[in-house]
Amino acid sequence: MIEFYKQILENNKKWVENSLAKDPNYFADLAKGQTPPLLWIGCSDSRVPANEIIGAKPGEVFVHRNIANMVVHSDMNMLSVLDYAVNVLKVKHVIVCGHYGCGGVKAAMGNQSVGIIDNWLRHIKDEYRLHDKYLNSIQDEDARFNAFVEINAKEQVYNLAKTSIVQGAWKNGQDLMLHGWVYGLNSGFVTDLNVTISSNEELDQVYQLDL
């Protein structure tokens, strides 16, 4: 344990040295502020690093991560990140990126209790209930799992669009597009789920806020 801890401190020093060797002003420039064009909402899974997946540098992606890349309307952590990204940083794009093989989605498909996370997974179970006819029609278990990963990511894009934060930005004429992706752990490629929303007119009328 101690050796691992010492090693990551050493890795930091090497990273700083390498970064400064390439650009002596690297950290001085970063410290001046951030203007990322993108907010990434992804899973906490350690195998899904937002910056590396899209080849972005520090300062180019604002990131929020949680179990199964969820957008929960009562989650003040996520809403605070979203509000800052949209209203202060003025990001142009928000990407919800799920990933195949997601443990949170898999757990939500079963009935075994895994602890306090059961309460979080309930949100995902609600989505399964909404799409159960389609999902239960898929006989192959792996294919059904992958389909639910995709559905979950799509649903979170719609959940974003339903927030007063996003709808307020659209009302004010702000350019803001929401996208849904899924990342392949075994390939490295992302799949665009073709769910892109840029106005609340694409939502059911009951969700269109009169701001």
Side-chain angles (χ1 to χ4, degrees):
M1 284 175 56
I2 296 298
E3 288 305 313
F4 170 77
Y5 183 69
K6 289 181 179 179
Q7 185 59 57
I8 60 176
L9 287 172
E10 210 44 50
N11 290 346
N12 171 253
K13 292 178 182 178
K14 292 178 181 178
W15 174 67
V16 171
E17 291 171 359
N18 291 336
S19 298
L20 291 176
K22 296 176 183 177
D23 180 3
N25 296 316
Y26 184 78
F27 295 104
D29 290 340
L30 277 179
K32 294 176 182 177
Q34 59 172 331
T35 55
L38 166 67
L39 168 61
W40 174 283
I41 298 178
C43 183
S44 298
D45 193 300
S46 62
R47 301 166 294 176
V48 191
N51 286 61
E52 292 185 38
I53 288 174
I54 58 175
K57 300 176 182 178
E60 294 180 340
V61 185
F62 202 60
V63 178
H64 174 76
R65 297 171 70 170
N66 60 46
I67 300 297
N69 43 271
M70 299 296 290
V71 175
V72 178
H73 73 275
S74 57
D75 180 1
M76 290 304 297
N77 187 351
M78 183 280 301
L79 291 173
S80 297
V81 172
L82 179 64
D83 183 66
Y84 189 79
V86 171
N87 292 320
V88 178
L89 298 177
K90 304 295 184 183
V91 298
K92 303 290 187 183
H93 300 271
V94 182
I95 292 175
V96 176
C97 186
H99 68 95
Y100 296 115
C102 180
V105 172
K106 184 69 172 178
M109 296 176 73
N111 299 106
Q112 183 174 352
S113 174
V114 289
I116 195 171
I117 194 177
D118 294 340
N119 301 282
W120 184 258
L121 298 180
R122 228 288 310 283
H123 298 290
I124 313 176
K125 286 179 178 288
D126 288 343
E127 292 166 15
Y128 196 101
R129 178 175 55 83
L130 292 174
H131 299 274
D132 61 350
K133 288 185 179 179
Y134 166 66
L135 290 168
N136 292 336
S137 71
I138 303 174
Q139 298 301 311
D140 182 80
E141 186 175 343
D142 289 336
R144 184 164 64 251
F145 181 18
N146 289 339
F148 192 30
V149 166
E150 294 173 357
I151 286 173
N152 182 57
K154 290 178 181 179
E155 288 290 344
Q156 305 322 308
V157 176
Y158 284 106
N159 285 344
L160 275 175
K162 295 169 187 174
T163 65
S164 58
I165 296 167
V166 169
Q167 293 200 28
W170 285 333
K171 182 181 180 182
N172 293 331
Q174 191 169 329
D175 291 328
L176 182 64
M177 300 182 74
L178 315 177
H179 315 272
W181 288 6
V182 173
Y183 174 68
L185 294 175
N186 60 354
S187 71
F189 289 106
V190 296
T191 299
D192 185 345
L193 297 175
N194 295 316
V195 53
T196 294
I197 305 177
S198 56
S199 79
N200 70 354
E201 294 175 0
E202 298 171 60
L203 298 172
D204 289 339
Q205 190 171 7
V206 69
Y207 295 114
Q208 297 180 21
L209 299 177
D210 186 13
L211 298 172

PDB file of all heavy atoms in Angstrom, residues 138-164:
ATOM      1  N   ILE A 138     -35.723  -9.148 -25.851  1.00  0.00           N
ATOM      2  CA  ILE A 138     -34.372  -9.500 -26.296  1.00  0.00           C
ATOM      3  C   ILE A 138     -33.934 -10.750 -25.543  1.00  0.00           C
ATOM      4  O   ILE A 138     -33.700 -10.712 -24.329  1.00  0.00           O
ATOM      5  CB  ILE A 138     -33.387  -8.339 -26.037  1.00  0.00           C
ATOM      6  CG1 ILE A 138     -33.868  -7.069 -26.740  1.00  0.00           C
ATOM      7  CG2 ILE A 138     -31.978  -8.713 -26.511  1.00  0.00           C
ATOM      8  CD1 ILE A 138     -33.032  -5.835 -26.426  1.00  0.00           C
ATOM      9  N   GLN A 139     -33.818 -11.855 -26.235  1.00  0.00           N
ATOM     10  CA  GLN A 139     -33.545 -13.135 -25.595  1.00  0.00           C
ATOM     11  C   GLN A 139     -32.099 -13.241 -25.099  1.00  0.00           C
ATOM     12  O   GLN A 139     -31.845 -13.775 -24.017  1.00  0.00           O
ATOM     13  CB  GLN A 139     -33.850 -14.292 -26.564  1.00  0.00           C
ATOM     14  CG  GLN A 139     -35.305 -14.365 -26.982  1.00  0.00           C
ATOM     15  CD  GLN A 139     -36.243 -14.537 -25.794  1.00  0.00           C
ATOM     16  OE1 GLN A 139     -36.034 -15.387 -24.934  1.00  0.00           O
ATOM     17  NE2 GLN A 139     -37.286 -13.708 -25.741  1.00  0.00           N
ATOM     18  N   ASP A 140     -31.161 -12.767 -25.884  1.00  0.00           N
ATOM     19  CA  ASP A 140     -29.756 -12.872 -25.491  1.00  0.00           C
ATOM     20  C   ASP A 140     -29.460 -11.902 -24.345  1.00  0.00           C
ATOM     21  O   ASP A 140     -29.716 -10.701 -24.453  1.00  0.00           O
ATOM     22  CB  ASP A 140     -28.853 -12.559 -26.685  1.00  0.00           C
ATOM     23  CG  ASP A 140     -27.381 -12.691 -26.343  1.00  0.00           C
ATOM     24  OD1 ASP A 140     -26.879 -13.829 -26.316  1.00  0.00           O
ATOM     25  OD2 ASP A 140     -26.737 -11.648 -26.070  1.00  0.00           O
ATOM     26  N   GLU A 141     -28.929 -12.433 -23.256  1.00  0.00           N
ATOM     27  CA  GLU A 141     -28.714 -11.623 -22.059  1.00  0.00           C
ATOM     28  C   GLU A 141     -27.725 -10.488 -22.293  1.00  0.00           C
ATOM     29  O   GLU A 141     -27.938  -9.362 -21.826  1.00  0.00           O
ATOM     30  CB  GLU A 141     -28.227 -12.510 -20.905  1.00  0.00           C
ATOM     31  CG  GLU A 141     -28.120 -11.778 -19.577  1.00  0.00           C
ATOM     32  CD  GLU A 141     -27.753 -12.704 -18.428  1.00  0.00           C
ATOM     33  OE1 GLU A 141     -27.890 -13.930 -18.589  1.00  0.00           O
ATOM     34  OE2 GLU A 141     -27.325 -12.198 -17.374  1.00  0.00           O
ATOM     35  N   ASP A 142     -26.635 -10.775 -23.004  1.00  0.00           N
ATOM     36  CA  ASP A 142     -25.631  -9.731 -23.265  1.00  0.00           C
ATOM     37  C   ASP A 142     -26.200  -8.630 -24.149  1.00  0.00           C
ATOM     38  O   ASP A 142     -25.938  -7.441 -23.933  1.00  0.00           O
ATOM     39  CB  ASP A 142     -24.383 -10.336 -23.928  1.00  0.00           C
ATOM     40  CG  ASP A 142     -23.579 -11.197 -22.960  1.00  0.00           C
ATOM     41  OD1 ASP A 142     -23.689 -10.972 -21.739  1.00  0.00           O
ATOM     42  OD2 ASP A 142     -22.841 -12.084 -23.433  1.00  0.00           O
ATOM     43  N   ALA A 143     -26.976  -9.033 -25.149  1.00  0.00           N
ATOM     44  CA  ALA A 143     -27.586  -8.048 -26.044  1.00  0.00           C
ATOM     45  C   ALA A 143     -28.588  -7.188 -25.281  1.00  0.00           C
ATOM     46  O   ALA A 143     -28.687  -5.974 -25.514  1.00  0.00           O
ATOM     47  CB  ALA A 143     -28.272  -8.759 -27.211  1.00  0.00           C
ATOM     48  N   ARG A 144     -29.333  -7.801 -24.361  1.00  0.00           N
ATOM     49  CA  ARG A 144     -30.293  -7.048 -23.548  1.00  0.00           C
ATOM     50  C   ARG A 144     -29.558  -6.059 -22.633  1.00  0.00           C
ATOM     51  O   ARG A 144     -29.984  -4.906 -22.467  1.00  0.00           O
ATOM     52  CB  ARG A 144     -31.148  -8.001 -22.722  1.00  0.00           C
ATOM     53  CG  ARG A 144     -32.247  -7.296 -21.921  1.00  0.00           C
ATOM     54  CD  ARG A 144     -33.293  -8.271 -21.426  1.00  0.00           C
ATOM     55  NE  ARG A 144     -32.750  -9.249 -20.490  1.00  0.00           N
ATOM     56  CZ  ARG A 144     -32.567 -10.533 -20.748  1.00  0.00           C
ATOM     57  NH1 ARG A 144     -32.882 -11.020 -21.940  1.00  0.00           N
ATOM     58  NH2 ARG A 144     -32.070 -11.350 -19.841  1.00  0.00           N
ATOM     59  N   PHE A 145     -28.448  -6.500 -22.059  1.00  0.00           N
ATOM     60  CA  PHE A 145     -27.617  -5.643 -21.215  1.00  0.00           C
ATOM     61  C   PHE A 145     -27.114  -4.444 -22.011  1.00  0.00           C
ATOM     62  O   PHE A 145     -27.234  -3.287 -21.587  1.00  0.00           O
ATOM     63  CB  PHE A 145     -26.461  -6.482 -20.662  1.00  0.00           C
ATOM     64  CG  PHE A 145     -25.516  -5.762 -19.748  1.00  0.00           C
ATOM     65  CD1 PHE A 145     -25.852  -4.566 -19.124  1.00  0.00           C
ATOM     66  CD2 PHE A 145     -24.262  -6.301 -19.490  1.00  0.00           C
ATOM     67  CE1 PHE A 145     -24.957  -3.919 -18.262  1.00  0.00           C
ATOM     68  CE2 PHE A 145     -23.362  -5.670 -18.644  1.00  0.00           C
ATOM     69  CZ  PHE A 145     -23.709  -4.474 -18.034  1.00  0.00           C
ATOM     70  N   ASN A 146     -26.576  -4.682 -23.195  1.00  0.00           N
ATOM     71  CA  ASN A 146     -26.064  -3.590 -24.031  1.00  0.00           C
ATOM     72  C   ASN A 146     -27.170  -2.623 -24.426  1.00  0.00           C
ATOM     73  O   ASN A 146     -26.976  -1.400 -24.448  1.00  0.00           O
ATOM     74  CB  ASN A 146     -25.408  -4.158 -25.295  1.00  0.00           C
ATOM     75  CG  ASN A 146     -24.093  -4.860 -25.005  1.00  0.00           C
ATOM     76  OD1 ASN A 146     -23.466  -4.627 -23.974  1.00  0.00           O
ATOM     77  ND2 ASN A 146     -23.661  -5.724 -25.912  1.00  0.00           N
ATOM     78  N   ALA A 147     -28.346  -3.167 -24.734  1.00  0.00           N
ATOM     79  CA  ALA A 147     -29.474  -2.321 -25.118  1.00  0.00           C
ATOM     80  C   ALA A 147     -29.890  -1.422 -23.960  1.00  0.00           C
ATOM     81  O   ALA A 147     -30.229  -0.245 -24.155  1.00  0.00           O
ATOM     82  CB  ALA A 147     -30.651  -3.185 -25.568  1.00  0.00           C
ATOM     83  N   PHE A 148     -29.855  -1.957 -22.744  1.00  0.00           N
ATOM     84  CA  PHE A 148     -30.252  -1.167 -21.589  1.00  0.00           C
ATOM     85  C   PHE A 148     -29.218  -0.088 -21.278  1.00  0.00           C
ATOM     86  O   PHE A 148     -29.576   1.013 -20.860  1.00  0.00           O
ATOM     87  CB  PHE A 148     -30.457  -2.076 -20.373  1.00  0.00           C
ATOM     88  CG  PHE A 148     -31.131  -1.385 -19.214  1.00  0.00           C
ATOM     89  CD1 PHE A 148     -32.040  -0.348 -19.423  1.00  0.00           C
ATOM     90  CD2 PHE A 148     -30.882  -1.780 -17.917  1.00  0.00           C
ATOM     91  CE1 PHE A 148     -32.668   0.288 -18.363  1.00  0.00           C
ATOM     92  CE2 PHE A 148     -31.500  -1.156 -16.834  1.00  0.00           C
ATOM     93  CZ  PHE A 148     -32.402  -0.114 -17.059  1.00  0.00           C
ATOM     94  N   VAL A 149     -27.946  -0.381 -21.499  1.00  0.00           N
ATOM     95  CA  VAL A 149     -26.902   0.638 -21.347  1.00  0.00           C
ATOM     96  C   VAL A 149     -27.195   1.815 -22.278  1.00  0.00           C
ATOM     97  O   VAL A 149     -27.084   2.987 -21.883  1.00  0.00           O
ATOM     98  CB  VAL A 149     -25.504   0.048 -21.644  1.00  0.00           C
ATOM     99  CG1 VAL A 149     -24.473   1.159 -21.832  1.00  0.00           C
ATOM    100  CG2 VAL A 149     -25.068  -0.884 -20.519  1.00  0.00           C
ATOM    101  N   GLU A 150     -27.568   1.518 -23.506  1.00  0.00           N
ATOM    102  CA  GLU A 150     -27.879   2.562 -24.481  1.00  0.00           C
ATOM    103  C   GLU A 150     -29.134   3.334 -24.076  1.00  0.00           C
ATOM    104  O   GLU A 150     -29.161   4.573 -24.150  1.00  0.00           O
ATOM    105  CB  GLU A 150     -28.055   1.934 -25.863  1.00  0.00           C
ATOM    106  CG  GLU A 150     -26.771   1.321 -26.420  1.00  0.00           C
ATOM    107  CD  GLU A 150     -26.996   0.569 -27.711  1.00  0.00           C
ATOM    108  OE1 GLU A 150     -28.166   0.470 -28.165  1.00  0.00           O
ATOM    109  OE2 GLU A 150     -25.999   0.061 -28.281  1.00  0.00           O
ATOM    110  N   ILE A 151     -30.163   2.625 -23.659  1.00  0.00           N
ATOM    111  CA  ILE A 151     -31.398   3.280 -23.222  1.00  0.00           C
ATOM    112  C   ILE A 151     -31.126   4.195 -22.043  1.00  0.00           C
ATOM    113  O   ILE A 151     -31.633   5.327 -21.982  1.00  0.00           O
ATOM    114  CB  ILE A 151     -32.461   2.232 -22.855  1.00  0.00           C
ATOM    115  CG1 ILE A 151     -33.036   1.591 -24.126  1.00  0.00           C
ATOM    116  CG2 ILE A 151     -33.597   2.846 -22.018  1.00  0.00           C
ATOM    117  CD1 ILE A 151     -33.965   0.425 -23.862  1.00  0.00           C
ATOM    118  N   ASN A 152     -30.330   3.729 -21.102  1.00  0.00           N
ATOM    119  CA  ASN A 152     -30.019   4.541 -19.929  1.00  0.00           C
ATOM    120  C   ASN A 152     -29.346   5.850 -20.318  1.00  0.00           C
ATOM    121  O   ASN A 152     -29.703   6.921 -19.814  1.00  0.00           O
ATOM    122  CB  ASN A 152     -29.119   3.753 -18.972  1.00  0.00           C
ATOM    123  CG  ASN A 152     -28.808   4.529 -17.714  1.00  0.00           C
ATOM    124  OD1 ASN A 152     -29.700   4.950 -16.980  1.00  0.00           O
ATOM    125  ND2 ASN A 152     -27.520   4.746 -17.458  1.00  0.00           N
ATOM    126  N   ALA A 153     -28.381   5.783 -21.223  1.00  0.00           N
ATOM    127  CA  ALA A 153     -27.691   7.006 -21.660  1.00  0.00           C
ATOM    128  C   ALA A 153     -28.670   7.957 -22.349  1.00  0.00           C
ATOM    129  O   ALA A 153     -28.642   9.175 -22.115  1.00  0.00           O
ATOM    130  CB  ALA A 153     -26.536   6.651 -22.597  1.00  0.00           C
ATOM    131  N   LYS A 154     -29.531   7.422 -23.199  1.00  0.00           N
ATOM    132  CA  LYS A 154     -30.520   8.254 -23.884  1.00  0.00           C
ATOM    133  C   LYS A 154     -31.466   8.931 -22.894  1.00  0.00           C
ATOM    134  O   LYS A 154     -31.769  10.118 -23.021  1.00  0.00           O
ATOM    135  CB  LYS A 154     -31.331   7.405 -24.871  1.00  0.00           C
ATOM    136  CG  LYS A 154     -30.559   6.922 -26.082  1.00  0.00           C
ATOM    137  CD  LYS A 154     -31.452   6.047 -26.966  1.00  0.00           C
ATOM    138  CE  LYS A 154     -30.717   5.523 -28.179  1.00  0.00           C
ATOM    139  NZ  LYS A 154     -31.578   4.659 -29.030  1.00  0.00           N
ATOM    140  N   GLU A 155     -31.930   8.174 -21.914  1.00  0.00           N
ATOM    141  CA  GLU A 155     -32.853   8.736 -20.929  1.00  0.00           C
ATOM    142  C   GLU A 155     -32.221   9.882 -20.151  1.00  0.00           C
ATOM    143  O   GLU A 155     -32.901  10.860 -19.797  1.00  0.00           O
ATOM    144  CB  GLU A 155     -33.324   7.644 -19.964  1.00  0.00           C
ATOM    145  CG  GLU A 155     -34.297   6.642 -20.558  1.00  0.00           C
ATOM    146  CD  GLU A 155     -35.670   7.241 -20.845  1.00  0.00           C
ATOM    147  OE1 GLU A 155     -35.984   8.328 -20.321  1.00  0.00           O
ATOM    148  OE2 GLU A 155     -36.434   6.605 -21.609  1.00  0.00           O
ATOM    149  N   GLN A 156     -30.920   9.793 -19.903  1.00  0.00           N
ATOM    150  CA  GLN A 156     -30.249  10.864 -19.152  1.00  0.00           C
ATOM    151  C   GLN A 156     -30.142  12.135 -19.991  1.00  0.00           C
ATOM    152  O   GLN A 156     -30.144  13.252 -19.451  1.00  0.00           O
ATOM    153  CB  GLN A 156     -28.866  10.408 -18.678  1.00  0.00           C
ATOM    154  CG  GLN A 156     -28.851   9.127 -17.860  1.00  0.00           C
ATOM    155  CD  GLN A 156     -30.041   9.000 -16.921  1.00  0.00           C
ATOM    156  OE1 GLN A 156     -30.335   9.910 -16.128  1.00  0.00           O
ATOM    157  NE2 GLN A 156     -30.750   7.870 -16.999  1.00  0.00           N
ATOM    158  N   VAL A 157     -30.024  11.985 -21.300  1.00  0.00           N
ATOM    159  CA  VAL A 157     -30.022  13.165 -22.174  1.00  0.00           C
ATOM    160  C   VAL A 157     -31.365  13.880 -22.060  1.00  0.00           C
ATOM    161  O   VAL A 157     -31.423  15.113 -21.938  1.00  0.00           O
ATOM    162  CB  VAL A 157     -29.741  12.764 -23.640  1.00  0.00           C
ATOM    163  CG1 VAL A 157     -29.845  13.984 -24.556  1.00  0.00           C
ATOM    164  CG2 VAL A 157     -28.349  12.148 -23.765  1.00  0.00           C
ATOM    165  N   TYR A 158     -32.445  13.112 -22.087  1.00  0.00           N
ATOM    166  CA  TYR A 158     -33.770  13.717 -21.934  1.00  0.00           C
ATOM    167  C   TYR A 158     -33.943  14.320 -20.543  1.00  0.00           C
ATOM    168  O   TYR A 158     -34.576  15.375 -20.389  1.00  0.00           O
ATOM    169  CB  TYR A 158     -34.857  12.685 -22.222  1.00  0.00           C
ATOM    170  CG  TYR A 158     -35.025  12.402 -23.693  1.00  0.00           C
ATOM    171  CD1 TYR A 158     -34.563  11.210 -24.251  1.00  0.00           C
ATOM    172  CD2 TYR A 158     -35.619  13.336 -24.534  1.00  0.00           C
ATOM    173  CE1 TYR A 158     -34.699  10.962 -25.612  1.00  0.00           C
ATOM    174  CE2 TYR A 158     -35.759  13.094 -25.886  1.00  0.00           C
ATOM    175  CZ  TYR A 158     -35.295  11.909 -26.425  1.00  0.00           C
ATOM    176  OH  TYR A 158     -35.425  11.669 -27.777  1.00  0.00           O
ATOM    177  N   ASN A 159     -33.382  13.664 -19.527  1.00  0.00           N
ATOM    178  CA  ASN A 159     -33.450  14.227 -18.178  1.00  0.00           C
ATOM    179  C   ASN A 159     -32.731  15.568 -18.100  1.00  0.00           C
ATOM    180  O   ASN A 159     -33.170  16.483 -17.394  1.00  0.00           O
ATOM    181  CB  ASN A 159     -32.860  13.248 -17.166  1.00  0.00           C
ATOM    182  CG  ASN A 159     -33.775  12.085 -16.877  1.00  0.00           C
ATOM    183  OD1 ASN A 159     -34.969  12.124 -17.187  1.00  0.00           O
ATOM    184  ND2 ASN A 159     -33.233  11.032 -16.283  1.00  0.00           N
ATOM    185  N   LEU A 160     -31.630  15.696 -18.807  1.00  0.00           N
ATOM    186  CA  LEU A 160     -30.923  16.979 -18.871  1.00  0.00           C
ATOM    187  C   LEU A 160     -31.814  18.051 -19.490  1.00  0.00           C
ATOM    188  O   LEU A 160     -31.902  19.175 -18.988  1.00  0.00           O
ATOM    189  CB  LEU A 160     -29.651  16.841 -19.717  1.00  0.00           C
ATOM    190  CG  LEU A 160     -28.385  16.336 -19.065  1.00  0.00           C
ATOM    191  CD1 LEU A 160     -27.306  16.159 -20.128  1.00  0.00           C
ATOM    192  CD2 LEU A 160     -27.895  17.294 -17.980  1.00  0.00           C
ATOM    193  N   ALA A 161     -32.447  17.692 -20.596  1.00  0.00           N
ATOM    194  CA  ALA A 161     -33.280  18.656 -21.319  1.00  0.00           C
ATOM    195  C   ALA A 161     -34.463  19.127 -20.483  1.00  0.00           C
ATOM    196  O   ALA A 161     -34.983  20.227 -20.687  1.00  0.00           O
ATOM    197  CB  ALA A 161     -33.780  18.042 -22.622  1.00  0.00           C
ATOM    198  N   LYS A 162     -34.879  18.314 -19.524  1.00  0.00           N
ATOM    199  CA  LYS A 162     -36.034  18.659 -18.687  1.00  0.00           C
ATOM    200  C   LYS A 162     -35.678  19.616 -17.558  1.00  0.00           C
ATOM    201  O   LYS A 162     -36.572  20.152 -16.904  1.00  0.00           O
ATOM    202  CB  LYS A 162     -36.640  17.382 -18.097  1.00  0.00           C
ATOM    203  CG  LYS A 162     -37.238  16.444 -19.147  1.00  0.00           C
ATOM    204  CD  LYS A 162     -37.571  15.081 -18.540  1.00  0.00           C
ATOM    205  CE  LYS A 162     -37.996  14.094 -19.610  1.00  0.00           C
ATOM    206  NZ  LYS A 162     -38.191  12.730 -19.061  1.00  0.00           N
ATOM    207  N   THR A 163     -34.378  19.838 -17.302  1.00  0.00           N
ATOM    208  CA  THR A 163     -33.989  20.707 -16.188  1.00  0.00           C
ATOM    209  C   THR A 163     -34.249  22.175 -16.517  1.00  0.00           C
ATOM    210  O   THR A 163     -34.173  22.601 -17.672  1.00  0.00           O
ATOM    211  CB  THR A 163     -32.495  20.546 -15.849  1.00  0.00           C
ATOM    212  OG1 THR A 163     -31.695  21.009 -16.954  1.00  0.00           O
ATOM    213  CG2 THR A 163     -32.144  19.103 -15.523  1.00  0.00           C
ATOM    214  N   SER A 164     -34.558  22.941 -15.488  1.00  0.00           N
ATOM    215  CA  SER A 164     -34.775  24.378 -15.668  1.00  0.00           C
ATOM    216  C   SER A 164     -33.482  25.067 -16.097  1.00  0.00           C
ATOM    217  O   SER A 164     -33.515  26.111 -16.758  1.00  0.00           O
ATOM    218  CB  SER A 164     -35.293  25.004 -14.372  1.00  0.00           C
ATOM    219  OG  SER A 164     -34.383  24.794 -13.305  1.00  0.00           O
TER     220      SER A 164
END
